[in-house]
Every structure is written in C-alpha cells, then in structure tokens.
Amino acid sequence: MPLPQIDPADVRIEPGWKAHLQTEFSKPYFAGIKQFLADEKARGKVVFPPGPLIFNAFDQTPFEKVKVVILGQDPYHGPGQAMGLCFSVPREIPVPASLKNIFKEINRDLGLPIPRHGDLTSWTTQGIFLLNAILTVEKNQAGSHSKIGWHLFTDAVIKTLSDHRNGLIFLLWGNYARSKKPLIDPQRHTILEAAHPSPLARDAFKGCCHFSKTNSILSNQGETPINWSLDE
C-alpha cells in the first residue's frame, strides 16, 4: 500500500523551521513516520513524548534564534519524562542520571548551584536547541523508534542549520552525537566534543568545560552568553 501524501502545511512547527524543512515534510520517509505513529496509536501503544511535544525543541527555539545545539539520542521512555527537549524533564520528575552529571559539570566549571529540577526550557529561550536525533519512543522501550526514519529528518535539520546559519556552537557528547560531525561545516561553526554525561562513561564527561567554553565563544562573537542556571 502506498504511503499517504503529507501536506507540509499540516505539520505544526515553528514557522521559521517549517520554511527551511518544507521539502523534508514532503518526502516519503516522513509520511512513513507519520503512518507508523498512527498505527502504533491504533494498536494501543503509548508513545512519548505526547504528540503536541514532539516538535517542542523547534517551537521553543526558532530557527533564527539558535546559537547552541546540544544533540541527544532518543527521548526518555518512562512515564512523564519526555518533553521534546533532549536531556530535559518536567519539574516534577526526578532528575535523570545523565542530567545530574551535566549539572555537576556546570557547577564545577562555572560555580553555579546544582538545580533542584531538570526542566531546561530556560536554556531553549536563550538560543539552545535541545535536539534528540530520534523524536519519539515507545513507553518503556528505549530506542524502539530508532529505525522508523527520524534520523533522516534530524540529519537534515543539522545539515540545514550548518548550511544556512553561521557561528553556531555544536556540543557533541558521546559517540552517537559525534557521528553527526560530518553534517557540520567546521569552517562556519564551532564543534566541541566530549564523552557522554551518562554514568556509564564513568567520569569521562567531567572537566570538558563546555559551558564556560561556549560562553567564551559567544562573547567573542559579540553575542550574549548563556545563563546556565535554571529558574527555581
């Protein structure tokens, strides 16, 4: 059975992103993603994040406002965790281990207090684009949507940012994020690499100083540094 055609106008996403990604929304793989998710819903499967939050990273950080890109892999798969922003969880959800390590490095690097919650929305409003390479996941099934086509879409997102913006800072943490490096033009952008903040990487993320380095680069470019502390 042929895949249904998707009218790009039907995709609800921040207008600047929509303008740059129109061709992706028209491609067969994107129709395949939409069909897969509809079929999963019909079978009673629970998918995270909720539909209105799948493109939350794009809606929170408009295309022309992006200054920093942090790349995650796929959403948290526990109830209530995923909110469409990589590494971020709602305020009422316990802070996951990887995010705890991010906070510890911010504390070590900049001396800021460790937040009591894990909602990173205040970062997104300052120009930090919190992109997961895979935008959905089945409840309690980590990586379950890794092969449905999302990687094609988010690779195009990274390439579009690289081609149509200048002076962005890409923070690539861990081997998966580093595998996206060929999509980024190093002549136009800064790429900072480090181990993943997961406890599985032991303390390899510690000492990367990506937060002070990012602010130094932004300042040198005449841009406002990031306030890495969170609203309490």
Side-chain angles (χ1 to χ4, degrees):
M1 181 182 295
L3 292 170
Q5 293 295 310
I6 290 182
D7 183 347
D10 292 337
V11 180
R12 293 187 292 276
I13 193 172
E14 188 273 326
W17 281 109
K18 177 173 279 192
H20 283 280
L21 299 172
Q22 287 266 5
T23 57
E24 298 303 315
F25 297 134
S26 302
K27 290 180 179 179
Y29 81 80
F30 198 87
I33 293 171
K34 191 169 184 179
Q35 185 65 56
F36 176 88
L37 295 176
D39 291 345
E40 291 291 275
K41 183 177 181 180
R43 284 195 284 266
K45 297 288 185 67
V46 177
V47 173
F48 298 137
L53 294 180
I54 290 175
F55 294 114
N56 193 25
F58 301 81
D59 294 333
Q60 293 292 338
T61 313
F63 184 84
E64 296 297 337
K65 300 293 186 182
V66 175
K67 300 195 298 188
V68 180
V69 180
I70 298 178
L71 184 65
Q73 192 159 350
D74 68 338
Y76 296 120
H77 54 83
Q81 291 181 304
M83 56 186 297
L85 308 174
C86 74
F87 293 107
S88 182
V89 292
R91 286 176 177 247
E92 66 275 10
I93 298 296
V95 177
S98 292
L99 186 52
K100 284 183 179 178
N101 283 340
I102 292 171
F103 289 162
K104 288 177 182 177
E105 178 60 16
I106 292 173
N107 171 260
R108 195 205 64 80
D109 186 19
L110 296 172
L112 296 174
I114 293 177
R116 291 175 289 183
H117 68 86
D119 184 350
L120 306 181
T121 301
S122 66
W123 290 4
T124 69
T125 58
Q126 298 177 73
I128 300 182
F129 183 44
L130 297 174
L131 177 67
N132 273 319
I134 311 301
L135 297 185
T136 58
V137 68
E138 182 183 341
K139 178 182 177 181
N140 296 331
Q141 301 293 325
S144 51
H145 292 182
S146 62
K147 297 180 180 179
I148 71 171
W150 279 127
H151 65 289
L152 300 173
F153 177 70
T154 55
D155 280 1
V157 169
I158 296 167
K159 186 72 163 54
T160 299
L161 280 170
S162 177
D163 290 348
H164 294 278
R165 294 291 311 281
N166 287 298
L168 301 184
I169 304 167
F170 289 83
L171 306 184
L172 306 183
W173 300 338
N175 291 335
Y176 184 84
R178 284 170 161 167
S179 74
K180 306 299 182 178
K181 189 175 177 179
L183 300 169
I184 306 163
D185 183 351
Q187 303 303 314
R188 300 175 65 153
H189 308 284
T190 300
I191 301 171
L192 299 180
E193 302 179 56
H196 196 278
S198 166
L200 297 176
R202 302 187 186 277
D203 286 333
F205 183 73
K206 182 179 179 180
C208 70
C209 300
H210 277 190
F211 309 98
S212 60
K213 289 177 181 177
T214 293
N215 280 353
S216 178
I217 293 165
L218 290 173
S219 294
N220 289 339
Q221 294 178 168
E223 298 185 67
T224 303
I226 303 298
N227 177 7
W228 294 101
S229 62
L230 300 182
D231 299 328
E232 293 296 338

